[in-house]
Amino acid sequence: MTTTRPARGLLAMLAVLALLAGAWPPPAEAQEPARGIDEACANVGGFDPGFDDLGGYSDAAREAVECLAFYEITGGYGDGTYRPGLAVQRYQMALFLERVIDYAIDDGALDAPDEIVDQGFADVDDLSAEAREAIDLLGTLQVAQGTSEDTFSPNATVSRVDMAVFLTRVQDLLAEGSYDTTEEAFDDLDGLSDERFAAVNALAAQGIAQGVDDGTYEPFAEVRRVEMALFLMRHLDENVASGRLSPREVPPEGDPEPGQLDDARIGDALTLATRDGGESTVTVEEVVDPAVPGRSIDEPEEGARLVAVR
């Protein structure tokens, strides 16, 4: 029996086509391992913010939340919880990022803007003064804009891709272009804008952003408060390790901690210990709802904790 064999040229062509089919689209590069936070949190020591709802989370997640509180970027809720599983709302994101920026300004790594421009959003009147100021600061520095010309959508949730964009914009304030990369870490970023695509890959290259087990990033999934803590603390750690920021020092004993001044009321005069060992008298001008940080209340219920003194 005669057996017909394909021509050698045809075999070669089939082999090339098979290789091309297997190589397109090009696979994403392996992402960098998650960076630690040891350098930024070197002085945490025995600091304990007292959050009682972090059980069941990884050591890395708990340490990130606790260190974020050590940096006074979060104070948690008035009932002693952090609520790690809640999605981050845009006004909360603004508060977190404002405090990161303020830390960099206080540390001398960043110049404060000459003027903070009122962004004129019509949907932020119910927020606390601190939250409104945070939104105006981020708008002034072009870190976060509104969802329309006159709205910020403060209660909308923050997506993982938007978090990456906000953080890379903050990074460009500290050191423009320092996170630029040509690496592509995830397989599900097609269709994103150039800025969004670059932001996710930039944070992945630094070990700040991590994907899920199947090699995807899930860019439009909501950011949970525990993830926000990991994003922010890894970002701070990279900047401390690079010498752009200093690690936070332990505050002097007797310095008032957020949320510890019980039963204060608007108009009350309070005597507080100062960092140099003296005393200072302040007047309470705003009390923030302990159940919803960022929202002011005029008549707090008995036992409400003061979390804003102005």
Side-chain angles (χ1 to χ4, degrees):
M1 181 175 65
T2 302
T3 301
T4 303
R5 302 178 64 182
R8 183 173 297 175
L10 178 58
L11 285 174
M13 182 178 295
L14 290 172
V16 169
L17 289 173
L19 287 172
L20 288 174
W24 187 263
E29 302 173 36
Q31 64 175 313
E32 294 293 325
R35 72 173 298 116
I37 59 174
D38 291 347
E39 300 216 27
C41 304
N43 299 321
V44 169
F47 173 82
D48 181 4
F51 301 137
D52 58 13
D53 59 343
L54 300 179
Y57 287 89
S58 67
D59 289 345
R62 290 196 301 273
E63 290 167 5
V65 172
E66 290 167 359
C67 194
L68 200 68
F70 175 72
Y71 272 78
E72 298 183 347
I73 293 170
T74 183
Y77 288 78
D79 61 359
T81 63
Y82 178 72
R83 305 184 192 180
L86 289 185
V88 176
Q89 296 173 288
R90 282 172 56 85
Y91 84 88
Q92 295 171 328
M93 172 275 302
L95 285 165
F96 283 136
L97 293 181
E98 179 210 28
R99 293 165 188 163
V100 171
I101 291 169
D102 283 347
Y103 183 81
I105 291 172
D106 291 343
D107 196 46
L110 190 63
D111 292 331
D114 294 332
E115 178 185 7
I116 297 177
V117 179
D118 185 340
Q119 300 299 294
F121 297 126
D123 58 348
V124 299
D125 290 346
D126 290 340
L127 300 180
S128 69
E130 183 187 12
R132 294 195 303 271
E133 290 165 6
I135 290 167
D136 287 340
L137 175 67
L138 296 193
T140 299
L141 297 176
Q142 298 185 350
V143 171
Q145 285 79 43
T147 53
S148 75
E149 184 175 341
D150 61 354
T151 60
F152 185 74
S153 302
N155 297 316
T157 55
V158 178
S159 70
R160 284 168 56 82
V161 68
D162 286 341
M163 189 66 238
V165 170
F166 296 143
L167 263 187
T168 52
R169 289 175 180 169
V170 171
Q171 185 60 30
D172 279 341
L173 296 176
L174 290 168
E176 187 172 2
S178 55
Y179 282 7
D180 289 353
T181 183
T182 58
E183 296 179 15
E184 298 181 14
F186 305 107
D187 295 324
D188 60 341
L189 304 182
D190 290 344
L192 296 182
S193 68
D194 289 346
E195 182 183 23
R196 286 179 157 193
F197 183 85
V200 172
N201 285 308
L203 295 192
Q206 298 294 333
I208 295 170
Q210 293 286 290
V212 296
D213 292 340
D214 61 356
T216 61
Y217 182 70
E218 296 187 353
F220 298 108
E222 294 174 331
V223 176
R224 303 292 167 178
R225 285 171 60 85
V226 67
E227 295 171 326
M228 173 73 82
L230 286 163
F231 270 117
L232 294 179
M233 285 315 309
R234 289 170 183 162
H235 176 251
L236 284 170
D237 188 84
E238 192 284 324
N239 280 284
V240 170
S242 298
R244 302 183 194 99
L245 293 175
S246 304
R248 185 172 192 252
E249 300 294 335
V250 179
E253 187 174 354
D255 219 27
E257 292 294 337
Q260 299 305 308
L261 304 174
D262 294 345
D263 302 326
R265 293 294 180 265
I266 295 171
D268 287 357
L270 301 176
T271 300
L272 304 179
T274 60
R275 292 181 180 272
D276 60 5
E279 292 184 345
S280 176
T281 301
V282 298
T283 300
V284 180
E285 294 182 0
E286 179 182 22
V287 177
V288 175
D289 187 344
V292 188
R295 294 194 180 281
S296 295
I297 48 179
D298 294 328
E299 297 181 359
E301 297 178 359
E302 188 68 26
R305 286 183 170 182
L306 175 72
V307 290
V309 181
R310 298 189 183 278

